Amino acid sequence: SILPPATLASPVRVALVRDPAAAAYFTRSASYDSIVDRWTATLRATGADVHVVAPGGIAGSGARVLVVPSAHCLSVATRDAIDRAGARGQGLIVTGPIGTKDARCRPIGYGLLVALTGASRVEPIEKRDIAYVTFPTGSALATGIPPGTRLELDPAPYVALRRAGRDAFFSSFSLRPEPARGAQLVDAAVVRSRYAKAPVAYWSFELTGVNDLPWDRTIAQLLVRNAVAWAARMPTIELEPWPEGKRAAAVLAQDVED
């Protein structure tokens, strides 16, 4: 498959947060470090100027975009940094059930996740052998991603959101929306929102959970590239995927055997 280059038009300084409290959630610290490493490699592949920082180093990083991945357990310092980003309009990219536990990994609910995404409801997805996320056209986070692209994920306890204007949704293999636990419209997997003055790009899965095939890896890199550009308020442009800006297309095909 031929896809456009998943690179930024110009470098963006990004602070990638490695929070010790988030690391404490994982049984093996190597699991969290592999997530940080994947983010570092993917951001560099987009052309971003990425720096891995501890919570105490966020303020002096000079970053236009702050990335907080897989922070189920969140330190007070990182939470304060997120609030400061909202106050000054610094771009935010966050993933997973962020802040659902405190710095000691005690459950505190979905309050921060709801505040960051503007979701009206959050539900964990029931166990699925394979999870799929489908990208419609028309979203700033889907620039360069062919309409109807299906991203394949490893089985994991993802969360889904009810959010108007979702940028991608949990689906079946055949692209039909599959909401969490059958709850109506609770199927959003990728959303854009505002947290005070900060543009926020959120998705509920992690880069390490994306199928390790060239197509899926490139789609994930396009998503990261688009999220960085949008969070940094960089202009983006693409051709209409179908004539006259139509929103959908259909193909009728017959599979003839023998």
Side-chain angles (χ1 to χ4, degrees):
S1 300
I2 299 173
L3 291 165
T7 52
L8 293 160
S10 59
V12 174
R13 190 174 182 87
V14 175
L16 174 59
V17 180
R18 189 194 184 284
D19 191 338
Y25 171 81
F26 296 88
T27 305
R28 297 171 60 249
S29 60
S31 299
Y32 181 64
D33 288 331
S34 69
I35 293 171
V36 174
D37 291 345
R38 178 65 63 86
W39 268 98
T40 302
T42 304
L43 285 164
R44 285 176 177 162
T46 68
D49 177 20
V50 58
H51 298 267
V52 179
V53 298
I58 297 172
S61 65
R64 291 173 65 184
V65 177
L66 185 65
V67 178
V68 187
S70 285
H72 302 68
C73 308
L74 200 65
S75 68
V76 173
T78 301
R79 175 62 189 264
D80 288 345
I82 290 172
D83 288 340
R84 287 195 301 270
R88 62 174 176 261
Q90 181 184 28
L92 286 167
I93 300 175
V94 295
T95 64
I98 181 170
T100 53
K101 302 178 187 295
D102 65 13
R104 296 175 62 184
C105 285
R106 297 173 297 191
I108 55 176
Y110 292 109
L112 178 60
L113 179 54
V114 168
L116 287 169
T117 63
S120 61
R121 182 172 174 179
V122 181
E123 286 285 351
I125 285 182
E126 67 282 2
K127 183 176 177 57
R128 297 175 181 177
D129 293 336
I130 302 175
Y132 298 103
V133 171
T134 293
F135 290 83
T137 189
S139 162
L141 298 187
T143 301
I145 298 177
T149 288
R150 181 184 58 238
L151 190 65
E152 184 173 316
L153 308 177
D154 293 336
Y158 305 112
V159 295
L161 315 178
R162 178 182 288 161
R163 174 70 157 76
R166 68 215 195 313
D167 294 81
F169 57 89
F170 286 103
S171 75
S172 65
F173 180 84
S174 58
L175 312 186
R176 294 171 64 98
E178 284 198 343
R181 306 178 188 277
Q184 188 177 23
L185 301 178
V186 186
D187 62 6
V190 180
V191 301
R192 285 170 297 144
S193 61
R194 296 275 171 176
Y195 183 63
K197 298 178 183 178
V200 180
Y202 170 82
W203 53 87
S204 62
F205 52 92
E206 198 43 75
L207 295 182
T208 51
V210 174
N211 191 1
D212 194 24
L213 291 174
W215 168 267
D216 297 272
R217 289 200 304 267
T218 304
I219 295 301
Q221 185 174 325
L222 281 166
L223 175 61
V224 170
R225 187 275 309 268
N226 295 340
V228 171
W230 187 79
R233 296 181 173 85
M234 297 176 67
T236 58
I237 187 170
E238 68 172 342
L239 296 175
E240 289 284 5
W242 293 314
E244 302 175 4
K246 288 185 168 56
R247 299 281 298 177
V251 175
L252 302 182
Q254 182 178 3
D255 183 7
V256 180
E257 305 202 3
D258 300 326

